[in-house]
Amino acid sequence: MSNTHPVDLEQPAPSATISWVGKIAARLPWLRRRWKRCRRIEADAAALIERFGTQAYYEAGQLSKGYGLAEGDQSRVHWARVKVEIARRHEIDLGLNGYVRWE
């Protein structure tokens, strides 16, 4: 039996050049999908706010109900998340009963 090691310990592993976030994302694909989903939600919220201004919350609500969505468009759940993001940006209080409190 030989004492040679199959891995050359003198050379850094290829993964040593990847950041620690990249290593985690490579091992946890759901983390990458979640990060991308969050970026899409933020981008859609910004686009609705830019286009509709103060009516963006209402428009996101309509999209979350399925109004104006084509067959292949993003899901109603996505637009419900966009609606919550718009509420957060506009500091709209969402109560447990679903009613919106404007202050």
Side-chain angles (χ1 to χ4, degrees):
M1 195 163 194
S2 161
N3 285 341
T4 60
H5 203 296
V7 177
D8 185 9
L9 298 176
E10 300 299 321
Q11 294 292 326
S15 63
T17 58
I18 301 173
S19 71
W20 65 273
V21 175
K23 290 179 186 178
I24 292 173
R27 286 178 172 59
L28 302 171
W30 62 266
L31 183 62
R32 182 180 300 155
R33 287 190 305 269
R34 181 179 173 146
W35 185 81
K36 287 180 181 180
R37 185 181 73 216
C38 288
R39 299 293 83 78
R40 272 195 312 270
I41 289 168
E42 290 172 355
D44 287 343
L48 284 177
I49 291 170
E50 183 179 324
R51 183 172 179 191
F52 295 106
T54 58
Q55 292 295 317
Y57 183 81
Y58 171 78
E59 292 297 329
Q62 294 300 306
L63 290 169
S64 71
K65 293 175 184 173
Y67 301 127
L69 291 179
E71 184 69 29
D73 282 348
Q74 293 174 334
S75 72
R76 292 168 34 176
V77 174
H78 169 78
W79 291 108
R81 290 178 178 144
V82 171
K83 181 180 174 182
V84 170
E85 174 66 18
I86 291 170
R88 186 186 66 77
R89 289 185 185 193
H90 282 286
E91 298 177 355
I92 300 170
D93 291 331
L94 299 177
L96 293 176
N97 58 5
Y99 290 105
V100 177
R101 231 179 64 211
W102 297 87
E103 292 188 62

